[in-house]
Amino acid sequence: MVSLRFPFLFSQPKKHPNGISRAVTSRPFSATTTTVAYPSPSVVETKTGAAFPSVVFESRRLLGIGLRKKSILGLKNIDVYAFGVYADVDEVRKILGEKYGKLSVSELKESKEFKEDLMGGDIGMTVRLQIVYSKLSIRSVRSAFEESVGSRLQIFGEPNNKELLQRFTSQFKDEYKIPRGSVIELSRERGHVLRTTIDGKEAGSIQSKLLCRSILDLYIGADPFDKGAKEDIESKLASLLQVDH
């Protein structure tokens, strides 16, 4: 598995008005049925208490949630952030329905072509990251993306994509503070534009099909951060195409 390295540039813990409350409870998110049943207004990652809205940007629905973990010096694992993956249901059905609508859920989950079309298609999707590690600094996030996204750019694109990578990582400026509870959203918009927001403030937009695919690959690709989350997301996506069959 590709390593996601966090250099020791952690800031001191800070209290934040948007800190995550553990008082909310919910069943773990599961999307293994063949019928579409949208979740309640929020879905909670039970280990960290991070709550995810069932819908973002009015039309993108939650497909699954997971955790990004990091091993520190091989001694212990820390939970860095919880994440949720969203997709525009109408666009999924419009773009992929005709080609894949007659396949069963199990066939879709095994179809490499389906996954390629999803990853490369002009479908609105959002990955929402909710920080749960209170000592994380924006410099650590920037460095981690340099490694993880950089490795994907090399796999899917040309060997030298340093300029594109630098344009993306430079959005995570030192002025941003990301205490526990902060939200980073990475959204693929129409025309393969990657839009980045940090706590609701737009950090930048980059038009690049390669970059969009590289980001999504971290969460739903062949070597994802959370394999269980990827399986849930794939099942939900497959079920979306079966609603009329």
PDB file of all heavy atoms in Angstrom, residues 22-52:
ATOM      1  N   ARG A  22     -19.641  13.596  20.582  1.00  0.00           N
ATOM      2  CA  ARG A  22     -19.830  12.153  20.600  1.00  0.00           C
ATOM      3  C   ARG A  22     -21.220  11.759  21.097  1.00  0.00           C
ATOM      4  O   ARG A  22     -21.515  10.598  21.258  1.00  0.00           O
ATOM      5  CB  ARG A  22     -18.776  11.487  21.485  1.00  0.00           C
ATOM      6  CG  ARG A  22     -17.373  11.578  20.893  1.00  0.00           C
ATOM      7  CD  ARG A  22     -16.351  10.969  21.837  1.00  0.00           C
ATOM      8  NE  ARG A  22     -15.029  11.007  21.261  1.00  0.00           N
ATOM      9  CZ  ARG A  22     -14.527  10.040  20.506  1.00  0.00           C
ATOM     10  NH1 ARG A  22     -15.238   8.991  20.230  1.00  0.00           N
ATOM     11  NH2 ARG A  22     -13.305  10.125  20.031  1.00  0.00           N
ATOM     12  N   ALA A  23     -22.056  12.765  21.352  1.00  0.00           N
ATOM     13  CA  ALA A  23     -23.376  12.464  21.876  1.00  0.00           C
ATOM     14  C   ALA A  23     -24.296  11.888  20.810  1.00  0.00           C
ATOM     15  O   ALA A  23     -25.285  11.239  21.108  1.00  0.00           O
ATOM     16  CB  ALA A  23     -24.009  13.738  22.446  1.00  0.00           C
ATOM     17  N   VAL A  24     -23.998  12.143  19.538  1.00  0.00           N
ATOM     18  CA  VAL A  24     -24.829  11.634  18.463  1.00  0.00           C
ATOM     19  C   VAL A  24     -24.512  10.173  18.232  1.00  0.00           C
ATOM     20  O   VAL A  24     -23.361   9.760  18.230  1.00  0.00           O
ATOM     21  CB  VAL A  24     -24.558  12.425  17.158  1.00  0.00           C
ATOM     22  CG1 VAL A  24     -25.457  11.927  16.054  1.00  0.00           C
ATOM     23  CG2 VAL A  24     -24.768  13.904  17.424  1.00  0.00           C
ATOM     24  N   THR A  25     -25.518   9.384  18.027  1.00  0.00           N
ATOM     25  CA  THR A  25     -25.307   7.963  17.788  1.00  0.00           C
ATOM     26  C   THR A  25     -26.016   7.547  16.521  1.00  0.00           C
ATOM     27  O   THR A  25     -27.020   8.119  16.131  1.00  0.00           O
ATOM     28  CB  THR A  25     -25.832   7.109  18.956  1.00  0.00           C
ATOM     29  OG1 THR A  25     -27.237   7.374  19.118  1.00  0.00           O
ATOM     30  CG2 THR A  25     -25.095   7.432  20.243  1.00  0.00           C
ATOM     31  N   SER A  26     -25.491   6.519  15.902  1.00  0.00           N
ATOM     32  CA  SER A  26     -26.091   6.000  14.686  1.00  0.00           C
ATOM     33  C   SER A  26     -25.492   4.645  14.407  1.00  0.00           C
ATOM     34  O   SER A  26     -24.409   4.316  14.862  1.00  0.00           O
ATOM     35  CB  SER A  26     -25.823   6.943  13.510  1.00  0.00           C
ATOM     36  OG  SER A  26     -26.239   6.365  12.296  1.00  0.00           O
ATOM     37  N   ARG A  27     -26.208   3.846  13.624  1.00  0.00           N
ATOM     38  CA  ARG A  27     -25.624   2.593  13.176  1.00  0.00           C
ATOM     39  C   ARG A  27     -24.529   2.879  12.173  1.00  0.00           C
ATOM     40  O   ARG A  27     -24.600   3.870  11.455  1.00  0.00           O
ATOM     41  CB  ARG A  27     -26.699   1.726  12.510  1.00  0.00           C
ATOM     42  CG  ARG A  27     -27.763   1.217  13.453  1.00  0.00           C
ATOM     43  CD  ARG A  27     -28.801   0.438  12.698  1.00  0.00           C
ATOM     44  NE  ARG A  27     -29.432   1.259  11.672  1.00  0.00           N
ATOM     45  CZ  ARG A  27     -30.255   0.766  10.746  1.00  0.00           C
ATOM     46  NH1 ARG A  27     -30.504  -0.519  10.709  1.00  0.00           N
ATOM     47  NH2 ARG A  27     -30.790   1.562   9.849  1.00  0.00           N
ATOM     48  N   PRO A  28     -23.513   2.009  12.085  1.00  0.00           N
ATOM     49  CA  PRO A  28     -22.503   2.199  11.052  1.00  0.00           C
ATOM     50  C   PRO A  28     -23.166   2.227   9.689  1.00  0.00           C
ATOM     51  O   PRO A  28     -24.119   1.500   9.431  1.00  0.00           O
ATOM     52  CB  PRO A  28     -21.589   0.975  11.222  1.00  0.00           C
ATOM     53  CG  PRO A  28     -21.815   0.524  12.632  1.00  0.00           C
ATOM     54  CD  PRO A  28     -23.253   0.838  12.934  1.00  0.00           C
ATOM     55  N   PHE A  29     -22.691   3.069   8.788  1.00  0.00           N
ATOM     56  CA  PHE A  29     -23.274   3.194   7.463  1.00  0.00           C
ATOM     57  C   PHE A  29     -23.010   1.929   6.675  1.00  0.00           C
ATOM     58  O   PHE A  29     -21.904   1.428   6.595  1.00  0.00           O
ATOM     59  CB  PHE A  29     -22.655   4.385   6.727  1.00  0.00           C
ATOM     60  CG  PHE A  29     -23.274   4.639   5.391  1.00  0.00           C
ATOM     61  CD1 PHE A  29     -24.394   5.437   5.269  1.00  0.00           C
ATOM     62  CD2 PHE A  29     -22.738   4.057   4.263  1.00  0.00           C
ATOM     63  CE1 PHE A  29     -24.959   5.665   4.020  1.00  0.00           C
ATOM     64  CE2 PHE A  29     -23.296   4.283   3.031  1.00  0.00           C
ATOM     65  CZ  PHE A  29     -24.409   5.088   2.912  1.00  0.00           C
ATOM     66  N   SER A  30     -24.049   1.385   6.082  1.00  0.00           N
ATOM     67  CA  SER A  30     -23.913   0.196   5.263  1.00  0.00           C
ATOM     68  C   SER A  30     -24.702   0.393   3.992  1.00  0.00           C
ATOM     69  O   SER A  30     -25.809   0.937   4.003  1.00  0.00           O
ATOM     70  CB  SER A  30     -24.420  -1.044   6.010  1.00  0.00           C
ATOM     71  OG  SER A  30     -24.326  -2.182   5.186  1.00  0.00           O
ATOM     72  N   ALA A  31     -24.139  -0.041   2.872  1.00  0.00           N
ATOM     73  CA  ALA A  31     -24.832   0.126   1.599  1.00  0.00           C
ATOM     74  C   ALA A  31     -24.748  -1.166   0.810  1.00  0.00           C
ATOM     75  O   ALA A  31     -24.314  -1.204  -0.318  1.00  0.00           O
ATOM     76  CB  ALA A  31     -24.215   1.269   0.814  1.00  0.00           C
ATOM     77  N   THR A  32     -25.167  -2.248   1.419  1.00  0.00           N
ATOM     78  CA  THR A  32     -25.008  -3.547   0.786  1.00  0.00           C
ATOM     79  C   THR A  32     -26.304  -4.086   0.214  1.00  0.00           C
ATOM     80  O   THR A  32     -26.322  -5.175  -0.344  1.00  0.00           O
ATOM     81  CB  THR A  32     -24.464  -4.552   1.808  1.00  0.00           C
ATOM     82  OG1 THR A  32     -25.358  -4.610   2.939  1.00  0.00           O
ATOM     83  CG2 THR A  32     -23.091  -4.136   2.286  1.00  0.00           C
ATOM     84  N   THR A  33     -27.413  -3.362   0.334  1.00  0.00           N
ATOM     85  CA  THR A  33     -28.666  -3.834  -0.209  1.00  0.00           C
ATOM     86  C   THR A  33     -28.784  -3.441  -1.666  1.00  0.00           C
ATOM     87  O   THR A  33     -28.075  -2.573  -2.162  1.00  0.00           O
ATOM     88  CB  THR A  33     -29.857  -3.242   0.566  1.00  0.00           C
ATOM     89  OG1 THR A  33     -29.812  -1.828   0.447  1.00  0.00           O
ATOM     90  CG2 THR A  33     -29.790  -3.634   2.028  1.00  0.00           C
ATOM     91  N   THR A  34     -29.729  -4.071  -2.375  1.00  0.00           N
ATOM     92  CA  THR A  34     -29.907  -3.791  -3.795  1.00  0.00           C
ATOM     93  C   THR A  34     -30.991  -2.756  -4.043  1.00  0.00           C
ATOM     94  O   THR A  34     -31.306  -2.462  -5.179  1.00  0.00           O
ATOM     95  CB  THR A  34     -30.267  -5.085  -4.544  1.00  0.00           C
ATOM     96  OG1 THR A  34     -31.456  -5.641  -3.972  1.00  0.00           O
ATOM     97  CG2 THR A  34     -29.142  -6.083  -4.444  1.00  0.00           C
ATOM     98  N   THR A  35     -31.583  -2.210  -2.996  1.00  0.00           N
ATOM     99  CA  THR A  35     -32.538  -1.132  -3.152  1.00  0.00           C
ATOM    100  C   THR A  35     -31.965   0.129  -2.551  1.00  0.00           C
ATOM    101  O   THR A  35     -31.186   0.080  -1.608  1.00  0.00           O
ATOM    102  CB  THR A  35     -33.877  -1.462  -2.446  1.00  0.00           C
ATOM    103  OG1 THR A  35     -33.626  -1.709  -1.068  1.00  0.00           O
ATOM    104  CG2 THR A  35     -34.520  -2.685  -3.079  1.00  0.00           C
ATOM    105  N   VAL A  36     -32.352   1.255  -3.105  1.00  0.00           N
ATOM    106  CA  VAL A  36     -31.811   2.515  -2.638  1.00  0.00           C
ATOM    107  C   VAL A  36     -32.596   2.979  -1.421  1.00  0.00           C
ATOM    108  O   VAL A  36     -33.785   3.227  -1.491  1.00  0.00           O
ATOM    109  CB  VAL A  36     -31.878   3.591  -3.739  1.00  0.00           C
ATOM    110  CG1 VAL A  36     -31.339   4.909  -3.223  1.00  0.00           C
ATOM    111  CG2 VAL A  36     -31.103   3.127  -4.957  1.00  0.00           C
ATOM    112  N   ALA A  37     -31.936   3.093  -0.285  1.00  0.00           N
ATOM    113  CA  ALA A  37     -32.555   3.596   0.937  1.00  0.00           C
ATOM    114  C   ALA A  37     -31.650   4.682   1.482  1.00  0.00           C
ATOM    115  O   ALA A  37     -30.608   4.397   2.052  1.00  0.00           O
ATOM    116  CB  ALA A  37     -32.720   2.476   1.958  1.00  0.00           C
ATOM    117  N   TYR A  38     -32.016   5.927   1.276  1.00  0.00           N
ATOM    118  CA  TYR A  38     -31.150   7.016   1.668  1.00  0.00           C
ATOM    119  C   TYR A  38     -31.078   7.124   3.180  1.00  0.00           C
ATOM    120  O   TYR A  38     -32.056   6.889   3.882  1.00  0.00           O
ATOM    121  CB  TYR A  38     -31.632   8.332   1.069  1.00  0.00           C
ATOM    122  CG  TYR A  38     -31.560   8.344  -0.424  1.00  0.00           C
ATOM    123  CD1 TYR A  38     -32.669   8.671  -1.193  1.00  0.00           C
ATOM    124  CD2 TYR A  38     -30.385   7.991  -1.074  1.00  0.00           C
ATOM    125  CE1 TYR A  38     -32.596   8.659  -2.573  1.00  0.00           C
ATOM    126  CE2 TYR A  38     -30.306   7.983  -2.442  1.00  0.00           C
ATOM    127  CZ  TYR A  38     -31.412   8.320  -3.193  1.00  0.00           C
ATOM    128  OH  TYR A  38     -31.337   8.310  -4.555  1.00  0.00           O
ATOM    129  N   PRO A  39     -29.950   7.495   3.702  1.00  0.00           N
ATOM    130  CA  PRO A  39     -29.759   7.536   5.145  1.00  0.00           C
ATOM    131  C   PRO A  39     -30.524   8.676   5.792  1.00  0.00           C
ATOM    132  O   PRO A  39     -31.097   9.531   5.126  1.00  0.00           O
ATOM    133  CB  PRO A  39     -28.246   7.738   5.290  1.00  0.00           C
ATOM    134  CG  PRO A  39     -27.844   8.391   4.005  1.00  0.00           C
ATOM    135  CD  PRO A  39     -28.737   7.835   2.954  1.00  0.00           C
ATOM    136  N   SER A  40     -30.530   8.667   7.105  1.00  0.00           N
ATOM    137  CA  SER A  40     -31.150   9.726   7.890  1.00  0.00           C
ATOM    138  C   SER A  40     -30.396  11.033   7.666  1.00  0.00           C
ATOM    139  O   SER A  40     -29.374  11.049   6.989  1.00  0.00           O
ATOM    140  CB  SER A  40     -31.114   9.321   9.357  1.00  0.00           C
ATOM    141  OG  SER A  40     -29.792   9.117   9.765  1.00  0.00           O
ATOM    142  N   PRO A  41     -30.881  12.168   8.222  1.00  0.00           N
ATOM    143  CA  PRO A  41     -30.224  13.457   7.966  1.00  0.00           C
ATOM    144  C   PRO A  41     -28.713  13.469   8.202  1.00  0.00           C
ATOM    145  O   PRO A  41     -28.011  14.242   7.591  1.00  0.00           O
ATOM    146  CB  PRO A  41     -30.951  14.389   8.930  1.00  0.00           C
ATOM    147  CG  PRO A  41     -32.319  13.807   9.022  1.00  0.00           C
ATOM    148  CD  PRO A  41     -32.117  12.322   8.978  1.00  0.00           C
ATOM    149  N   SER A  42     -28.211  12.636   9.073  1.00  0.00           N
ATOM    150  CA  SER A  42     -26.769  12.527   9.243  1.00  0.00           C
ATOM    151  C   SER A  42     -26.411  11.090   9.568  1.00  0.00           C
ATOM    152  O   SER A  42     -27.203  10.340  10.124  1.00  0.00           O
ATOM    153  CB  SER A  42     -26.261  13.455  10.347  1.00  0.00           C
ATOM    154  OG  SER A  42     -26.792  13.056  11.593  1.00  0.00           O
ATOM    155  N   VAL A  43     -25.216  10.716   9.169  1.00  0.00           N
ATOM    156  CA  VAL A  43     -24.697   9.377   9.423  1.00  0.00           C
ATOM    157  C   VAL A  43     -23.402   9.534  10.204  1.00  0.00           C
ATOM    158  O   VAL A  43     -22.549  10.343   9.843  1.00  0.00           O
ATOM    159  CB  VAL A  43     -24.441   8.607   8.112  1.00  0.00           C
ATOM    160  CG1 VAL A  43     -23.847   7.239   8.398  1.00  0.00           C
ATOM    161  CG2 VAL A  43     -25.737   8.467   7.322  1.00  0.00           C
ATOM    162  N   VAL A  44     -23.242   8.776  11.281  1.00  0.00           N
ATOM    163  CA  VAL A  44     -22.117   8.950  12.179  1.00  0.00           C
ATOM    164  C   VAL A  44     -21.106   7.822  12.023  1.00  0.00           C
ATOM    165  O   VAL A  44     -21.464   6.644  11.981  1.00  0.00           O
ATOM    166  CB  VAL A  44     -22.597   9.017  13.646  1.00  0.00           C
ATOM    167  CG1 VAL A  44     -21.416   9.069  14.610  1.00  0.00           C
ATOM    168  CG2 VAL A  44     -23.482  10.232  13.847  1.00  0.00           C
ATOM    169  N   GLU A  45     -19.835   8.208  11.913  1.00  0.00           N
ATOM    170  CA  GLU A  45     -18.748   7.234  11.974  1.00  0.00           C
ATOM    171  C   GLU A  45     -18.575   6.909  13.458  1.00  0.00           C
ATOM    172  O   GLU A  45     -18.142   7.750  14.244  1.00  0.00           O
ATOM    173  CB  GLU A  45     -17.474   7.841  11.370  1.00  0.00           C
ATOM    174  CG  GLU A  45     -16.406   6.831  10.963  1.00  0.00           C
ATOM    175  CD  GLU A  45     -15.792   6.123  12.150  1.00  0.00           C
ATOM    176  OE1 GLU A  45     -15.333   6.828  13.065  1.00  0.00           O
ATOM    177  OE2 GLU A  45     -15.802   4.873  12.165  1.00  0.00           O
ATOM    178  N   THR A  46     -18.923   5.677  13.839  1.00  0.00           N
ATOM    179  CA  THR A  46     -19.124   5.367  15.251  1.00  0.00           C
ATOM    180  C   THR A  46     -17.845   5.432  16.089  1.00  0.00           C
ATOM    181  O   THR A  46     -17.904   5.750  17.274  1.00  0.00           O
ATOM    182  CB  THR A  46     -19.758   3.979  15.397  1.00  0.00           C
ATOM    183  OG1 THR A  46     -18.981   3.012  14.672  1.00  0.00           O
ATOM    184  CG2 THR A  46     -21.167   3.987  14.845  1.00  0.00           C
ATOM    185  N   LYS A  47     -16.689   5.169  15.502  1.00  0.00           N
ATOM    186  CA  LYS A  47     -15.463   5.166  16.291  1.00  0.00           C
ATOM    187  C   LYS A  47     -15.048   6.573  16.704  1.00  0.00           C
ATOM    188  O   LYS A  47     -14.579   6.794  17.824  1.00  0.00           O
ATOM    189  CB  LYS A  47     -14.331   4.498  15.516  1.00  0.00           C
ATOM    190  CG  LYS A  47     -13.044   4.392  16.332  1.00  0.00           C
ATOM    191  CD  LYS A  47     -11.952   3.644  15.580  1.00  0.00           C
ATOM    192  CE  LYS A  47     -10.692   3.547  16.438  1.00  0.00           C
ATOM    193  NZ  LYS A  47      -9.579   2.877  15.707  1.00  0.00           N
ATOM    194  N   THR A  48     -15.215   7.534  15.796  1.00  0.00           N
ATOM    195  CA  THR A  48     -14.753   8.896  16.055  1.00  0.00           C
ATOM    196  C   THR A  48     -15.886   9.856  16.421  1.00  0.00           C
ATOM    197  O   THR A  48     -15.638  10.942  16.937  1.00  0.00           O
ATOM    198  CB  THR A  48     -14.040   9.467  14.819  1.00  0.00           C
ATOM    199  OG1 THR A  48     -14.973   9.534  13.727  1.00  0.00           O
ATOM    200  CG2 THR A  48     -12.861   8.590  14.414  1.00  0.00           C
ATOM    201  N   GLY A  49     -17.125   9.484  16.124  1.00  0.00           N
ATOM    202  CA  GLY A  49     -18.242  10.376  16.366  1.00  0.00           C
ATOM    203  C   GLY A  49     -18.446  11.425  15.295  1.00  0.00           C
ATOM    204  O   GLY A  49     -19.286  12.312  15.437  1.00  0.00           O
ATOM    205  N   ALA A  50     -17.697  11.361  14.201  1.00  0.00           N
ATOM    206  CA  ALA A  50     -17.825  12.336  13.117  1.00  0.00           C
ATOM    207  C   ALA A  50     -19.139  12.111  12.386  1.00  0.00           C
ATOM    208  O   ALA A  50     -19.418  11.016  11.906  1.00  0.00           O
ATOM    209  CB  ALA A  50     -16.656  12.209  12.147  1.00  0.00           C
ATOM    210  N   ALA A  51     -19.969  13.157  12.305  1.00  0.00           N
ATOM    211  CA  ALA A  51     -21.280  13.068  11.671  1.00  0.00           C
ATOM    212  C   ALA A  51     -21.222  13.633  10.254  1.00  0.00           C
ATOM    213  O   ALA A  51     -20.685  14.720  10.035  1.00  0.00           O
ATOM    214  CB  ALA A  51     -22.310  13.819  12.502  1.00  0.00           C
ATOM    215  N   PHE A  52     -21.801  12.900   9.308  1.00  0.00           N
ATOM    216  CA  PHE A  52     -21.809  13.312   7.907  1.00  0.00           C
ATOM    217  C   PHE A  52     -23.242  13.547   7.451  1.00  0.00           C
ATOM    218  O   PHE A  52     -24.100  12.688   7.635  1.00  0.00           O
ATOM    219  CB  PHE A  52     -21.167  12.226   7.025  1.00  0.00           C
ATOM    220  CG  PHE A  52     -19.685  12.095   7.220  1.00  0.00           C
ATOM    221  CD1 PHE A  52     -19.183  11.321   8.256  1.00  0.00           C
ATOM    222  CD2 PHE A  52     -18.803  12.762   6.395  1.00  0.00           C
ATOM    223  CE1 PHE A  52     -17.819  11.203   8.456  1.00  0.00           C
ATOM    224  CE2 PHE A  52     -17.432  12.650   6.582  1.00  0.00           C
ATOM    225  CZ  PHE A  52     -16.941  11.872   7.620  1.00  0.00           C
TER     226      PHE A  52
END
